[in-house]
Every structure is written in C-alpha cells, then in structure tokens.
Amino acid sequence: MLVHIPAVFTRDEVLRIREALEAAQWVDGKVTAGYQSAQAKNNIQLPEGSPLAKEISQAMLERLWQNPLFMSAALPNKVFPPLFNCYRSGDDFGYHIDNAVRQVKGSAERVRTDLSSTLFFSDPDEYDGGELTIQDTYGVQQVKLPAGDLVLYPASSLHKVAPVTRGARFASFFWTQSLVREDSQRALLFEMDNAIQQLTQDVPDHPALTQLTGSYHNLLRRWVEV
C-alpha cells in the first residue's frame, strides 16, 4: 500500500525549513546505513540528534499525529526519529530494503520498521532525476512529490533513489512501527476506514454504519499489537 499525504507543511513553512537546511552542516549519509546499504548510498545527511533535525522532526510528527490520512493508513505505534538527507548532482541510493529494526541513537528503544516515509522539501522542478522508485505487489512506482508532501509505503519494499543530474533534492525520511504489523491487514483496515468516512458523509443515519464501524474495530482488536 502506497499512500500520498499532501501538504504536511505549507509553502511558507517549506521555504523556512529549506533556508535552515541549506545553511546547515551536513555529514556523509553512510553514517546511518547498514553494511549492505552503505555500498549503494551516496548522499549527505544532517547529523542524528542535531538541534535543527530535532526541531523540524518535532513539528513534523505533531502534524502527522493530527493528520487523519496518516493515522488511518499507518496506525502508528511509535516512530524512529526523522532523518534528513540531500542528494546533489551525481548522488543516488541504489536498490535496497530497509533494516527491519532500528535503534534510536543514545537510547535503548528499538523500532520495528513496518512503514517507510519520505517527506519532500524540494519541488520536482528544482532537480532532475532523484525519483523514489518503489517495487512491491502494487507494481513499480516512481514518486516525485511537491515540497511539503509525504509518501508512505511498506518498509519491506525494494526501493531506490535515482541519480540526481541537476539541482538538489532535500527530504526527510523515517520509519513507523505500526499497531498492525501486516501490510495486507493495514490495507484492508484503511479501505474500511475510508468507506466508513465516506458513508458517514453521504448517509450519516444509515443503521449499517454502526455494524460496519463495529467490524472495523473488531478486526483492529484482533490484529493490533501493543
């Protein structure tokens, strides 16, 4: 399941964030890659735990926790703190699958990476190349979203970032441990929730809504892990 979540940040907010990112000190992106991924990864990142990364991350997660689309699709339990990267001309990240478990730096907390997210801070016309290419049961998807938008997809997917040939691609990425581990189950719950919301708007007094909502929560009760 691949979900596009628009306008996590407004245009003015994106511009302010970009100014801060462009003025920041960056490090080699390999510092957060596993052994295999490091062989394919060519980009730069903000240092983990830097004040700027923490500030933007806090604002981002506050927005997402209030975003009905993200909450419905991800059913988040906990999130690995967002990281920030930049792909300049010649940078890329070859095909890889994300590590199944990430440990938060300076903490004993571990996060199972059920879902990956990328939030774009560069508009598509600011750079050439740099598409996020994702392979999964829904086929091959190439993602290049407006600045401020986020894409959510299974972390089990084979994916890459195509080489950037012009400009710079700024983004944030992070992983979510969902209350529901299995992607097919999350997809079913997401479809049911969308149907319930639409019916609530169209026929709010229909008695079947109570039954459908109850079925949703009974499935959630069966599949949730806390």
Side-chain angles (χ1 to χ4, degrees), residues 24-78:
Q25 296 294 316
W26 297 77
V27 297
D28 192 322
K30 288 182 171 62
V31 297
T32 57
Y35 175 78
Q36 293 292 338
S37 295
Q39 313 309 307
K41 187 175 187 181
N42 300 288
N43 65 9
I44 53 176
Q45 288 183 196
L46 285 187
E48 280 188 89
S50 72
L52 178 59
K54 288 182 177 178
E55 181 182 356
I56 304 172
S57 295
Q58 181 178 353
M60 184 190 312
L61 295 180
E62 286 176 357
R63 295 292 177 84
L64 291 172
W65 248 245
Q66 297 171 14
N67 187 296
L69 183 56
F70 178 82
M71 296 301 289
S72 177
L75 295 170
N77 183 1
K78 53 185 176 179

Side-chain angles (χ1 to χ4, degrees), residues 75 77 112 114 178-193 215-226:
L75 295 170
N77 183 1
R112 189 184 67 238
D114 298 323
S178 178
L179 290 167
V180 176
R181 182 194 301 246
E182 176 57 45
D183 181 59
S184 61
Q185 295 171 346
R186 283 196 310 273
L188 176 59
L189 289 166
F190 182 56
E191 291 172 1
M192 288 185 68
D193 191 32
S215 295
Y216 171 88
H217 285 284
N218 284 333
L219 285 173
L220 185 61
R221 186 176 292 111
R222 171 174 294 209
W223 293 334
V224 75
E225 299 177 19
V226 294

Side-chain angles (χ1 to χ4, degrees), residues 9 21 28 34 39-40 54 60 90 95 102 122 129 138 148 171:
F9 288 111
L21 291 175
D28 192 322
Q39 313 309 307
K54 288 182 177 178
M60 184 190 312
Y95 273 119
R102 305 286 302 203
S122 297
Y138 41 75

Side-chain angles (χ1 to χ4, degrees), residues 4 7 9-11 13-22 26 44 56 60 84-89 118-132 143-151 161 164 166-173:
H4 172 199
F9 288 111
T10 67
R11 302 300 299 176
E13 289 169 334
V14 166
L15 289 174
R16 291 198 296 272
I17 291 170
R18 274 288 299 277
E19 288 179 0
L21 291 175
E22 289 171 359
W26 297 77
I44 53 176
I56 304 172
M60 184 190 312
F84 298 82
N85 60 20
C86 176
Y87 290 81
R88 302 156 297 177
S89 183
T118 296
L119 195 154
F120 293 81
F121 289 115
S122 297
D123 280 314
D125 61 0
E126 294 184 82
Y127 60 100
D128 292 333
E131 295 86 358
L132 173 61
V143 183
K144 197 171 182 179
L145 299 179
D149 288 15
L150 178 143
V151 63
V161 176
V164 171
R166 178 188 64 87
R169 174 194 187 270
F170 290 89
S172 175
F173 61 102

Side-chain angles (χ1 to χ4, degrees), residues 135-148:
Q135 294 185 17
D136 210 314
T137 54
Y138 41 75
V140 178
Q141 304 286 328
Q142 290 193 328
V143 183
K144 197 171 182 179
L145 299 179

Side-chain angles (χ1 to χ4, degrees), residues 5 27 50 64 71 73 83 94 99 103 111 113 159 180 187 203 210:
I5 300 174
V27 297
S50 72
L64 291 172
M71 296 301 289
L83 301 171
N99 291 349
Q103 184 158 344
V111 176
T113 59
H159 59 284
V180 176
V203 283
T210 300

